[in-house]
Structure formats: structure tokens, C-alpha cells
Amino acid sequence: MPERSIRPMEARDLPRVSEMERLCFATPWSKDAMEYEITQNGLARYLVLEEGGLVCAYAGAWLVFEEGHITNVAVHPDFRRRGHARAVLSALMRLALGEGAEFMDLEVRVSNGAAIALYQGLGFKKAGLRKGYYEDNGEDAIVMVNDRLGRALGSAPAP
Ligand SMILES: CC(C)(COP(=O)(O)OP(=O)(O)OC[C@H]1O[C@@H](n2cnc3c(N)ncnc32)[C@H](O)[C@@H]1OP(=O)(O)O)[C@@H](O)C(=O)NCCC(=O)NCCS
């Protein structure tokens, strides 16, 4: 497998990240929104994973006191099922833990079995349901929480 590395997202990544947003999500974030996240939002932390020098996964969170709220996790369709999401999300969890987060949470579509399995594998548990949360199709969101970040990372591979 080509060399894999994880680093903070930078402005030079935005064209590739925007392309991936469009490929991965029904309601993609705009390039401007993502640029705001990495240049203006002091609470935001975004990581990219490169394989062979090409960005093929990213994940982000807002760190607010003891909470780390995961905003995005995406892997380019050509690079899935290689452990990239697990690796970049583990790195984000490690970063959040290092900055004092006591738990992380997220919303996921009820139909998104791949993502739900990913999060469960990293110790997230279903904690609630937001009815009609997604505006594009009225789908419900499952709220998932991991309040044992240290324990979950103990069994996760380092990037
Ligand atoms: C969900 C997503 C991030 C997974 O990325 P990935 O790099 O393929 O995932 P990984 O290879 O790291 O897989 C980690 C675990 O997730 C689960 N998983 C990932 N893809 C899966 C699939 N298609 N079906 C079932 N489980 C899946 C498995 O438990 C897997 O562990 P395993 O390989 O040991 O069985 C990717 O499919 C994606 O970008 N989807 C579109 C965007 C999205 O839905 N983001 C999440 C929004 S909440």
C-alpha cells in the first residue's frame, strides 16, 4: 500500500476537499464554508489523510470546552475500505482528547450503515434520534456519542 500520512487541513487542500464534498454528500459544504472553518473558526480542527501524496480522506470537529462535535468525515469513493476513515477519525479523536475533550458526538443518517458501523467500531454508541434532521429528504439523524475516548483509542491503530 502507498505511504499514508495525516496532517492538518490547509488552504491548498480546499479544491480537492470541495470536490470530495460533492462526491460524498447530498448537501456538500461549499469551498467558502470549508475555508472559513480552517482559517477563521478557532474551534474547528480538520485533518486530511494523504495516500501517496494525494488527499483521499478528511475529518473535522468543533472543540467546545469538554465536547468534540464531529462535523465531517469523508473518504473519496476510489479509496474506500482501506481503513482511511478509521485512521483519520482516530487521529481526530486523539487530537480532541489531547486538547481536553471528554466526549465526542455526531449526527448520522439512519440509512448510512457504513458510517454507523465505522463509528460503532470506534466506540460511539447511539444516544438519540433527531426526527427529520436532514433538510434534503427529511431523513432522521441518529445521535452518537463516545464518552470513553481514551479507551476507544487504546484499541485503534495509530495512523
Ligand atoms: C463512511 C465512510 C467515511 C467510510 O470510509 P472508509 O475509509 O471506507 O472506511 P474504513 O475503511 O475506515 O472502514 C472502517 C469500518 O467502517 C465500516 N464500514 C466502512 N464502509 C462500510 C460499508 N460500505 N459497509 C459496511 N461497513 C462499512 C466497517 O466497520 C469498517 O471496518 P472493517 O473494514 O474492519 O469492516 C465512507 O464510506 C464515506 O466517505 N461515505 C460518504 C460520506 C459519509 O457518509 N460520511 C459520514 C457522514 S456521518
Side-chain angles (χ1 to χ4, degrees):
M1 194 197 260
E3 191 182 334
R4 179 163 89 177
S5 60
I6 294 174
R7 60 168 174 79
M9 189 184 290
E10 299 172 11
R12 67 185 160 107
D13 300 317
L14 290 171
R16 172 74 171 168
V17 166
S18 301
E19 177 198 346
M20 289 169 59
E21 276 284 309
R22 288 193 295 275
L23 287 170
C24 295
F25 296 107
T27 54
W29 284 22
S30 68
K31 186 159 168 277
D32 286 351
M34 199 56 86
E35 183 170 17
Y36 173 84
E37 288 288 276
I38 64 168
T39 61
Q40 308 287 319
N41 185 354
L43 302 174
R45 303 288 183 275
Y46 282 81
L47 299 176
V48 296
L49 180 152
E50 290 180 315
E51 184 184 288
L54 182 67
V55 171
C56 52
Y58 56 91
W62 295 327
L63 305 187
V64 188
F65 298 102
E66 68 282 356
E67 176 187 5
H69 180 73
I70 294 171
T71 56
N72 311 48
V73 181
V75 176
H76 191 289
D78 295 344
F79 294 87
R80 291 185 183 161
R81 297 314 297 259
R82 302 184 191 194
H84 288 342
R86 186 187 290 119
V88 74
L89 194 52
S90 300
L92 189 66
M93 291 164 65
R94 201 168 278 116
L95 185 156
L97 186 64
E99 291 200 31
E102 293 173 9
F103 67 94
M104 297 190 85
D105 55 20
L106 57 89
E107 292 97 13
V108 58
R109 290 178 190 263
V110 291
S111 65
N112 195 345
I116 292 167
L118 164 73
Y119 299 137
Q120 284 176 329
L122 285 169
F124 285 78
K125 301 208 181 322
K126 295 180 184 178
L129 193 71
R130 299 218 162 110
K131 298 290 281 181
Y133 180 81
Y134 293 98
E135 288 181 3
D136 60 318
N137 64 353
E139 190 171 351
D140 299 343
I142 298 172
V143 179
M144 300 187 77
V145 177
N146 183 332
D147 58 6
R148 297 182 178 186
L149 293 172
R151 182 182 298 190
L153 291 168
S155 59

